[in-house]
Amino acid sequence: MTYNFCTLFDSNYLSRGIALYRSLEKHCGNFNLFIFAFDNRTYQLLKKLNLSKATIISLTEFEDEKLLEVKPTRSIAEYCWTSTSSTILYVLENFDVDNCTYVDADLFFYSSPKPIFDELGEKSILITEHRYSPQYNKELRSGKYCVQFVTFKKDENGLKALRWWRDRCLEWCYARYEDGKFGDQLYLDDWTERFEGVHVMQNPGGGLAAWNVQQYDFKVVNDKIFGIEKSTGEEFEVIFYHFHYLKFFNDGKIELGRRTLSKDVLNIFYKNYIKFLEDIKNELLKIDSSFDPHGATKNNFTWKTPILYFYRKVLGVYNIFDKEKFLEN
């Protein structure tokens, strides 16, 4: 079976997007990643890299009249969210594939996704829960499901749901909570009742992220990462981790978000991922040294900074570090 994935990113996420591709290359075997390049620099650089299992699609090829009509009304992030469903539909309608899975560019795979697709079986749509830790539950405003890994088959059920989702995102897709909507994400909350053939991922090895890792312990055995659910003792192999919240600053600092992250999580996931991103950055700078493939931004210091430092230190969520800390052996 060929696994067909799609993703989208611009040059500010370029190192993450290539890391995603290479993690699939290592663990997925027979796959194709359709990459929607959201600026020309990304398109040109990806073409130069000659990624053998990637299909690079430019905005000129992808954008249709309906997307271009709403584009001026959306921020960059909002337009990316608006476009997610359209990228999946574009792949299904323009390539000889019978399924497509959208994956966020900041996912990284640690083992084969085959168990996830085995779960899907004959059903048409797969969605992923946030599985929030209780202290970080934002389900009411951000949704039960996370648009990080979502699969559609090119059948009646899959296309019906996908086209409905695209239409809703074209109508409204903003970075605010309003009338039961938030971005492209809250639209998924009733899909198990609204549409037929929907499966919710059960494997805890998929969808790990800063908002749920507090529920697990982790260990490495023979280069494989295993999680152990604290409440049940259930052990599972990690399939992918979502590095949402990771930010690079141009003063050499990095931020990992405002969630409690154990030393094991920092060492097993973040340290190796950041090292990998840095290697990719150095590789890309040899081709084009005029930009930062991490999308580093200015670390703005204000009068609030010492207060936030104290507040986050007390809560154990001061996840701002010198990048070099993660590059040490």
Side-chain angles (χ1 to χ4, degrees), residues 13 15-20 23 104-110 241-244 246 248 256 266-280 294 326-327:
Y13 253 60
S15 59
R16 295 167 176 84
I18 294 171
L20 164 67
S23 71
D104 277 340
D106 50 2
L107 299 191
F108 192 85
F109 284 79
Y110 294 92
Y241 191 98
H242 188 173
F243 287 93
H244 189 53
L246 173 60
F248 290 85
L256 312 182
L266 293 175
N267 289 327
I268 292 172
F269 294 107
Y270 287 89
K271 186 170 185 175
N272 291 328
Y273 182 66
I274 290 166
K275 279 184 175 180
F276 196 56
L277 292 183
E278 197 70 4
D279 288 343
I280 293 170
H294 296 337
F326 291 85
L327 304 181

Side-chain angles (χ1 to χ4, degrees), residues 16-77:
R16 295 167 176 84
I18 294 171
L20 164 67
Y21 171 83
R22 289 182 176 160
S23 71
L24 285 169
E25 193 173 43
K26 181 175 181 179
H27 296 290
C28 201
N30 195 17
F31 79 96
N32 191 37
L33 178 63
F34 296 88
I35 301 176
F36 291 79
F38 264 48
D39 58 29
N40 187 58
R41 171 181 276 146
T42 299
Y43 182 79
Q44 297 299 332
L45 279 170
L46 289 173
K47 282 291 189 180
K48 289 178 181 178
L49 290 176
N50 293 317
L51 307 175
S52 62
K53 295 184 178 182
T55 300
I56 317 303
I57 301 164
S58 68
L59 279 180
T60 303
E61 297 170 86
F62 163 64
E63 290 178 314
D64 59 19
E65 289 183 4
K66 290 184 177 180
L67 284 168
L68 289 171
E69 183 180 347
V70 303
K71 188 175 184 178
T73 70
R74 312 282 159 93
S75 69
I76 293 174

Side-chain angles (χ1 to χ4, degrees), residues 53-314:
K53 295 184 178 182
T55 300
I56 317 303
I57 301 164
S58 68
L59 279 180
T60 303
E61 297 170 86
F62 163 64
E63 290 178 314
D64 59 19
E65 289 183 4
K66 290 184 177 180
L67 284 168
L68 289 171
E69 183 180 347
V70 303
K71 188 175 184 178
T73 70
R74 312 282 159 93
S75 69
I76 293 174
E78 289 167 345
Y79 187 61
C80 289
W81 297 346
T82 300
S83 301
T84 298
S85 52
S86 295
T87 62
I88 308 166
L89 187 61
Y90 185 93
V91 172
L92 292 179
E93 290 184 339
N94 289 278
F95 296 92
D96 184 21
V97 300
D98 59 10
N99 67 86
C100 184
T101 299
Y102 170 81
V103 287
D104 277 340
D106 50 2
L107 299 191
F108 192 85
F109 284 79
Y110 294 92
S111 64
S112 171
K114 182 178 183 299
I116 297 173
F117 293 111
D118 288 346
E119 271 189 39
L120 179 59
E122 298 302 313
K123 291 191 174 181
S124 302
I125 304 157
L126 183 140
I127 54 180
T128 310
E129 290 181 286
H130 279 101
R131 300 198 307 270
Y132 289 112
S133 297
Q135 65 269 41
Y136 301 128
N137 194 331
K138 295 173 61 178
E139 187 173 310
L140 290 178
R141 298 185 70 87
S142 297
K144 181 176 183 179
Y145 303 103
C146 182
V147 179
Q148 59 179 333
F149 187 108
V150 54
T151 301
F152 294 87
K153 291 182 181 177
K154 190 162 61 177
D155 59 21
E156 182 179 356
N157 291 332
L159 291 173
K160 179 181 178 181
L162 181 55
R163 287 173 175 147
W164 178 91
W165 187 27
R166 168 178 151 90
D167 288 343
R168 300 293 77 74
C169 290
L170 288 168
E171 290 170 357
W172 191 100
C173 188
Y174 298 97
R176 62 177 184 265
Y177 179 83
E178 182 179 302
D179 298 329
K181 303 186 292 289
F182 177 79
D184 59 349
Q185 203 151 262
L186 274 170
Y187 290 123
L188 278 62
D189 267 23
D190 68 354
W191 278 18
T192 54
E193 292 80 34
R194 181 182 292 272
F195 299 114
E196 295 182 6
V198 179
H199 175 75
V200 179
M201 185 195 300
Q202 298 300 303
N203 194 313
L208 293 165
W211 54 73
N212 61 35
V213 287
Q214 300 75 24
Q215 302 168 68
Y216 312 103
D217 292 317
F218 295 95
K219 64 181 181 180
V220 180
V221 180
N222 296 327
D223 293 326
K224 294 182 178 181
I225 303 174
F226 294 89
I228 304 96
E229 191 166 351
K230 292 179 180 179
S231 62
T232 65
E234 177 188 357
E235 186 171 300
F236 57 88
E237 187 171 2
V238 172
I239 298 175
F240 69 85
Y241 191 98
H242 188 173
F243 287 93
H244 189 53
Y245 301 125
L246 173 60
K247 297 178 183 178
F248 290 85
F249 298 106
N250 53 23
D251 64 355
K253 301 282 189 181
I254 57 172
E255 180 175 359
L256 312 182
R258 302 184 183 186
R259 308 289 184 269
T260 300
L261 302 171
S262 69
K263 287 184 179 180
D264 280 345
V265 167
L266 293 175
N267 289 327
I268 292 172
F269 294 107
Y270 287 89
K271 186 170 185 175
N272 291 328
Y273 182 66
I274 290 166
K275 279 184 175 180
F276 196 56
L277 292 183
E278 197 70 4
D279 288 343
I280 293 170
K281 175 181 175 177
N282 292 332
E283 175 187 348
L284 291 172
L285 291 179
K286 292 177 182 177
I287 304 173
D288 183 351
S289 62
S290 66
F291 79 112
D292 186 338
H294 296 337
T297 58
K298 185 178 180 181
N299 190 358
N300 291 316
F301 184 93
T302 71
W303 65 269
K304 294 181 180 179
T305 303
I307 299 173
L308 289 172
Y309 172 84
F310 179 76
Y311 175 73
R312 292 171 69 172
K313 276 287 188 179
V314 169

